[in-house]
Amino acid sequence: QVQLVESGGGLVQAGGSLRLSCAASGGTFSRYAMGWFRQAPGKERVFVAAMSWSGGTLTYADSLKGRFTISRDNAKNTVYLQINNLNPEDPAFYYCAAARRTYSGDYAGQASWYAYWGPGTQVTVSS
């Protein structure tokens, strides 16, 4: 099974950018669909973006399209989330998740579709 560890979070000024990374180990990374979710204090975990194992199929939360970009480097066993133009709605813990399943855009936005999760990385935005 795969283990996931996120990094790259921190304090960023509103309007700034961050690139989060999620390093995978313990499994064949290239066989896993990968997703990013976020959870703000007192709120539910929500879907941000997902990508098929090949990187050929991407899915984004409708409300976040345009500022978030998911990518992966299978040679480095890493998936990334680029966040641009950070705003006061973005502070949260960001989690990556992995699923060894045939990719489905209908299900990739559901947390229950994923079997493996990282511990999260915190993003904070200052005004």
Side-chain angles (χ1 to χ4, degrees):
Q1 66 183 45
V2 66
Q3 290 82 44
L4 306 171
V5 179
E6 303 92 340
S7 62
L11 175 64
V12 181
Q13 197 168 18
S17 298
L18 273 178
R19 189 175 79 157
L20 307 182
S21 300
C22 173
S25 61
T28 306
F29 178 73
S30 61
R31 296 182 180 272
Y32 287 84
M34 300 298 297
W36 284 96
F37 290 72
R38 68 183 187 180
Q39 186 169 17
K43 297 188 178 181
E44 294 184 351
R45 189 170 299 191
V46 298
F47 172 69
V48 176
M51 171 177 278
S52 63
W53 66 268
S54 69
T57 306
L58 309 176
T59 308
Y60 290 96
D62 288 341
S63 61
L64 301 178
K65 284 181 179 177
R67 295 195 300 117
F68 290 73
T69 303
I70 187 172
S71 61
R72 67 190 294 162
D73 185 338
N74 285 346
K76 295 182 177 179
N77 290 352
T78 302
V79 63
Y80 304 97
L81 183 69
Q82 177 72 34
I83 312 173
N84 296 326
N85 194 21
L86 281 148
N87 65 49
E89 295 182 349
D90 295 324
F93 273 91
Y94 284 72
Y95 300 90
C96 70
R100 187 168 176 174
R101 290 180 165 184
T102 300
Y103 192 83
S104 167
D106 291 335
Y107 295 105
Q110 299 177 18
S112 58
W113 192 70
Y114 298 85
Y116 307 104
W117 291 84
T121 187
Q122 187 172 15
V123 172
T124 307
V125 179
S126 64
S127 57

